[in-house]
Structures are given as structure tokens and as C-alpha cells.
């Protein structure tokens, strides 16, 4: 008998849970072995041996650098073009209530107009473009915030290391060696993490053969969302809302009873395991607390960690311990997620380059749940 052959029921995964969307040589969250692989290296092991500048080289040039190559990376970052004055003029016109991430997004879009090789998608040009952005973003991020607050811009100090200068731009103070090391560590831990929403957004945009600025603008828009990058701000605001470990646990209990989402806990990939990056940042918070003689945030975080494990079987992610670390480094809360984006730019650029080199346009389908067809 004849008739209409209906398609098989589509395999629908809400939020693309566990769907493999692409092949990559950049990174992999190996949950079975509890490793975060970056170009074949364990991120946690790397965090004990190298800094963020070496990570930039690994992501953009495929290998860990020797001392000469590391200095070459530092020199490329120091020698990169500065910010055109026209960009500052545009940023100065933004309403004072503008969120720093919106200012960051705007600055990225404006920068594209000054790239004379904008339509060149070659590896060499894209790598050069990535170094330019990595050099420009700390100054753009910090000073767009200062402008929004009605303050003067802070000029980069090229005598400082990349991370020390970044922290100096944020706070106006030259950091101690311990502060520099901890901030550099945070940049390294945030630098790359397989395929979260922002990286996927960047690759989807890059798959149309759009330029790196467009892809990163999409990524920063994604990262602004509280369910992705905004968690570190939410965590710090929670900690500041209370004054003791006991009160913090009470607040968490209240939120659980009200079925509210608690930021800083749980992760789509790690699920019932602790984000290994969070443990590294927890140790950094211990060092900073001892150095400053103030362990109130450490005690609060540890109390919250124990409570959430016992009550919900949930563990901290990186944002949970990064938030108080940034606060103790005197970084304004509104800049926590923009900093996340700055550090992730190394990984994002690597993904855009890989997408351009092995491209296939993303065009998924849907599971239609609307009204069935009926004739007129």
C-alpha cells in the first residue's frame, strides 16, 4: 500500500547534552581520568610548571615554548599595536550604567575596523591577530571600566610581566610577586576548557567564515550570561551578603529550600566531581589568605563546600574559589567575567583558527513540536 513515509523520531538532546559537535586537537575534558587535556598536556600539571604566556604559545603554536620562545611571546605582546584613540572616544560615549562586558563587546567590534587584513583567514594572519588581541584586551577591559567610572585611563607598564601589568591596569597598584603569581595562575586555568557555550558560539560564527572579531564578539555575549561566565560575580555577591561561615551556610540552605540555583556549584561536564581547577584556586586562596592575614572568605567557602556536598552531592567549580581570590586582589567585582574572557581569548582564538582551517558550516535541525500540518 502507498502512503507517506514519516521520518524516524529525531534524537533530541535538550541543551545538546553529551552531543559531540566537532573534532578538535585543542582540548578535551577527560572525565574518566579526571584530566583537562590541552594539546595533550594535563592542565593541572601545566599549572604547576608554566605560566599563562607559555599557555598562549601552546594554544597558538602547538608546542610548549623553551625560554627563548617564551621571551619571543612576551616581546610580541609588548610590541603589539596600541589602542587607537578613536576606540577610546567611542567608549567614552557609552552610558555610565553600561556593563563592563558590554563595553568589552563594543570595543572588540570597533577594533575590527582598524584591522587592514580583516578578510585574511590564513593561519599566520589569524595567529598574529590573536597576539594583537591578547595584548590589547587587558588595557581595553580595565580602562573601559575606568572610563565608565569617570576615572582616568591607566597606561600599561611594559617593564612588568603580562599578568603583573594586567593586574596593575585593573587596580592601579603594582602587584607583589605572590599576587602576580596567583593572578597569572587564574588566567592559565581559565584559558581553555573544550566546548562551553561561548566557545561553541565562537565556532558557529567562525563556521560562516566570519572574522575572529565577530566570533569573539559572539563569545563575549555568551559569556556575559550568569549561567556561564557571570557565576564568579554571583558567588562574590553571595559571600559579601553574609559575615560568617555559619550565616553563609544558612543562606545556602534558604536558597535550596526556595529551589534557587546556587552559582559556583555543579558543572554540566563534571557533574558529581569537583572541578580540578577549583582545587588549584582553593590552594591559591589559602596562600593569599595567609599572606594577608585574613581567612574569612576561605572559611566561608570551605563551609559552603562541605554543606553543598552533604546536601546535594555538588562540588565547587572554578568560579567559586576564583571570586574571593579576585576580591582579595582588589579587582572590582564587575570585572571578574571580563577577565575570564580576556584569559579565554587564547583558547577562543585557537578554536577560531581550527574552525577556519577545517571548516564545515554548522546547520543543525529541530524537533518540531508545533501544530501538525493541515490543509487550507
Amino acid at each position: 500500500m502507498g502512503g507517506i513515509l514519516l521520518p524516524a523520531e529525531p534524537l533530541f538532546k535538550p541543551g545538546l547534552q553529551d552531543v559531540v559537535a566537532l573534532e578538535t586537537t585543542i582540548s578535551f575534558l577527560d572525565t574518566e581520568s579526571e584530566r583537562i587535556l590541552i594539546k595533550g598536556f594535563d592542565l593541572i600539571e601545566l599549572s604547576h610548571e608554566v605560566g599563562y604566556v607559555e599557555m598562549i604559545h601552546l594554544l597558538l603554536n602547538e608546542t610548549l615554548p623553551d625560554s627563548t620562545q617564551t621571551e619571543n611571546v612576551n616581546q610580541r605582546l609588548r610590541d603589539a599595536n596600541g589602542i587607537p584613540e578613536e576606540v577610546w572616544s567611542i567608549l567614552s560615549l557609552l552610558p555610565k550604567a553600561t556593563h563592563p562586558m558590554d563595553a568589552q563587546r563594543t570595543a572588540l567590534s570597533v577594533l575590527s575596523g582598524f584591522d587592514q587584513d580583516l578578510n585574511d583567514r590564513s593561519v599566520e594572519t589569524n595567529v598574529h591577530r590573536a597576539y594583537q588581541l591578547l595584548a590589547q584586551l587587558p588595557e581595553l577591559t580595565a580602562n573601559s571600566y575606568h572610563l565608565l567610572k569617570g576615572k582616568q585611563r591607566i597606561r600599561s607598564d611594559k617593564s612588568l610581566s603580562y599578568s603583573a601589568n594586567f593586574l596593575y591596569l585593573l587596580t592601579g597598584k603594582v602587584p607583589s610577586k605572590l599576587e602576580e603569581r596567583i593572578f597569572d595562575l587564574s588566567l592559565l586555568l581559565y584559558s581553555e576548557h573544550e566546548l562551553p557555550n561561548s566557545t561553541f558560539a565562537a565556532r558557529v560564527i567562525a563556521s560562516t567564515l566570519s572574522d575572529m572579531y565577530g566570533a569573539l564578539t559572539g563569545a563575549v555575549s555568551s559569556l556575559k550570561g550568569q549561567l556561564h561566565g557571570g557565576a564568579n560575580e554571583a558567588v562574590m555577591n553571595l559571600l559579601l551578603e553574609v559575615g560568617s561561615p555559619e550565616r553563609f551556610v544558612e543562606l545556602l540552605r534558604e536558597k535550596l529550600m526556595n529551589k534557587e540555583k546556587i552559582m559556583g556549584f555543579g558543572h554540566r561536564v563534571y557533574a558529581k566531581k569537583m572541578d580540578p581547577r577549583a582545587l588549584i584556586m582553593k590552594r591559591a586562596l589559602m596562600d593569599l589568605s595567609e599572606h594577608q592575614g585574613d581567612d574569612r572568605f576561605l572559611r566561608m567557602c570551605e563551609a559552603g563546600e562541605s554543606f553543598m556536598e552533604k546536601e546535594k552531592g555538588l562540588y565547587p567549580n572554578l568560579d567559586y574559589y576564583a571570586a574571593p581570590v579576585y576580591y582579595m586582589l582588589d579587582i572590582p567585582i564587575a570585572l571578574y567575567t571580563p577577565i575570564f574572557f580576556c584569559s579565554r581569548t587564547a583558547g577562543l582564538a585557537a578554536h577560531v583558527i581550527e574552525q577556519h582551517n577545517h571548516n564545515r558550516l554548522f546547520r543543525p535541525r529541530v524537533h518540531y513540536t508545533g501544530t501538525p500540518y493541515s490543509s487550507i
Side-chain angles (χ1 to χ4, degrees):
M1 293 179 61
I4 298 175
L5 181 63
L6 296 176
E9 187 74 10
L11 180 62
F12 172 52
K13 295 288 190 76
L16 302 182
Q17 177 85 30
D18 297 325
V19 172
V20 176
L22 54 87
E23 293 182 334
T24 182
T25 64
I26 298 171
S27 67
F28 176 61
L29 304 186
D30 184 353
T31 54
E32 293 299 318
S33 301
E34 297 187 28
R35 290 192 183 97
I36 301 171
L37 293 179
I38 310 289
K39 294 292 183 180
F41 295 95
D42 182 345
L43 176 64
I44 304 307
E45 292 178 3
L46 285 172
S47 72
H48 297 302
E49 301 295 333
V50 303
Y52 182 63
V53 166
E54 286 87 352
M55 178 62 78
I56 290 173
H57 188 280
L58 177 61
L59 286 166
L60 297 180
N61 302 97
E62 308 291 332
T63 61
L64 280 175
D66 57 27
S67 58
T68 300
Q69 291 169 321
T70 299
E71 181 49 40
N72 287 340
V73 174
N74 279 310
Q75 195 62 48
R76 289 186 74 167
L77 293 170
R78 284 193 294 265
D79 292 344
N81 294 338
I83 314 299
E85 283 301 318
E86 293 89 340
V87 176
W88 297 122
S89 297
I90 291 172
L91 291 175
S92 68
L93 297 175
L94 294 176
K96 298 305 180 186
T98 300
H99 191 283
M101 292 211 75
D102 294 329
Q104 193 178 51
R105 183 185 64 210
T106 299
L108 266 173
S109 293
V110 175
L111 272 179
S112 67
F114 294 91
D115 189 334
Q116 296 180 352
D117 300 311
L118 187 61
N119 294 320
D120 187 342
R121 306 285 186 271
S122 67
V123 173
E124 181 181 5
T125 300
N126 264 335
V127 169
H128 172 73
R129 188 171 287 126
Y131 276 109
Q132 285 284 122
L133 286 168
L134 285 162
Q136 293 169 321
L137 275 169
E139 187 172 351
L140 272 176
T141 300
N143 282 321
S144 61
Y145 177 80
H146 298 324
L147 288 174
L148 290 172
K149 293 300 179 181
K151 298 179 180 179
Q152 294 294 315
R153 284 154 43 195
I154 298 174
R155 305 289 181 178
S156 287
D157 184 343
K158 295 191 177 183
S159 69
L160 299 174
S161 71
Y162 181 87
S163 295
N165 180 62
F166 193 170
L167 194 50
Y168 167 69
L169 289 167
L170 294 166
T171 67
K173 299 181 296 184
V174 176
S176 68
K177 288 298 181 182
L178 176 65
E179 292 168 336
E180 176 186 350
R181 177 180 66 79
I182 288 176
F183 185 64
D184 185 80
L185 176 63
S186 78
L187 297 182
L188 182 144
L189 293 175
Y190 272 123
S191 64
E192 168 57 20
H193 205 229
E194 201 201 77
L195 200 61
N197 193 288
S198 53
T199 303
F200 186 49
R203 291 198 70 139
V204 169
I205 294 168
S207 78
T208 70
L209 295 185
S210 183
D211 58 80
M212 186 176 288
Y213 300 93
L216 266 61
T217 298
V220 76
S221 299
S222 166
L223 200 58
K224 183 186 177 184
Q226 195 176 74
L227 292 182
H228 189 7
N232 47 23
E233 295 181 34
V235 168
M236 198 62 233
N237 287 325
L238 273 182
L239 291 171
L240 292 175
E241 191 176 330
V242 298
S244 69
E246 295 76 19
R247 179 65 189 114
F248 186 49
V249 169
E250 289 175 13
L251 180 63
L252 295 181
R253 182 177 286 111
E254 291 171 10
K255 288 185 174 296
L256 288 181
M257 290 178 62
N258 294 330
K259 300 188 183 302
E260 297 179 43
K261 184 175 179 63
I262 299 176
M263 296 300 174
F265 287 94
H267 192 282
R268 179 73 70 86
V269 175
Y270 299 119
K272 300 296 182 179
K273 297 179 181 179
M274 187 169 180
D275 181 343
R277 302 169 303 166
L279 184 58
I280 299 297
M281 195 49 54
K282 180 179 179 179
R283 290 171 182 158
L285 179 59
M286 290 176 177
D287 291 342
L288 198 56
S289 298
E290 181 179 359
H291 176 71
Q292 295 189 6
D294 182 359
D295 66 352
R296 56 186 170 132
F297 293 124
L298 174 62
R299 289 186 292 110
M300 290 164 65
C301 285
E302 288 182 326
E305 178 185 341
S306 298
F307 172 77
M308 290 297 290
E309 180 183 355
K310 179 181 178 182
E311 295 294 319
K312 300 293 292 184
L314 293 176
Y315 297 86
N317 55 41
L318 176 57
D319 291 321
Y320 185 70
Y321 280 106
V325 164
Y326 282 176
Y327 190 82
M328 295 183 74
L329 291 174
D330 290 329
I331 299 172
I333 295 174
L335 287 175
Y336 291 6
T337 311
I339 293 168
F340 181 165
F341 176 76
C342 288
S343 60
R344 183 59 57 83
T345 293
L348 288 167
H351 278 277
V352 171
I353 292 167
E354 185 177 68
Q355 188 66 44
H356 282 164
N357 290 345
H358 306 282
N359 192 52
R360 182 171 176 79
L361 179 70
F362 284 97
R363 179 44 172 103
R365 297 299 305 278
V366 301
H367 181 200
Y368 177 66
T369 59
T371 304
Y373 168 77
S374 58
S375 61
I376 298 174

